[in-house]
Amino acid sequence: MDPNACWRELSKAVKNDDWQRASSHADDLLEWLGKGGFAPHITGNQAFDRIVARATCVAVASWEVA
């Protein structure tokens, strides 16, 4: 898995109000991170990127999709 590509797709889905797709990408990235995969490059600070990615994905994955 490419967490950077997944993060970009998650971001696009949120921007386009495609919550089902965003939730799917969030689940995928959470699974990746949970298995010890590296975080997407967001800020350049690897430890902070892991926190931001995980928190964002948890929030997006928990949203109810209508």
Side-chain angles (χ1 to χ4, degrees):
M1 167 166 179
D2 180 347
N4 293 307
C6 188
W7 183 259
R8 283 190 302 273
E9 291 302 314
L10 169 61
S11 298
K12 279 195 251 182
V14 169
K15 180 180 177 185
N16 294 326
D17 293 328
D18 187 347
W19 304 113
Q20 211 157 19
R21 192 165 153 233
S23 182
S24 178
H25 287 300
D27 287 338
D28 291 345
L29 192 50
L30 279 173
E31 183 177 347
W32 170 260
L33 294 171
K35 291 180 179 178
F38 61 92
H41 184 273
I42 302 168
T43 67
N45 179 320
Q46 191 174 27
F48 188 65
D49 287 352
R50 179 170 287 283
I51 293 167
V52 170
R54 187 177 303 279
T56 301
C57 288
V58 166
V60 171
S62 71
W63 293 340
E64 294 209 15
V65 179

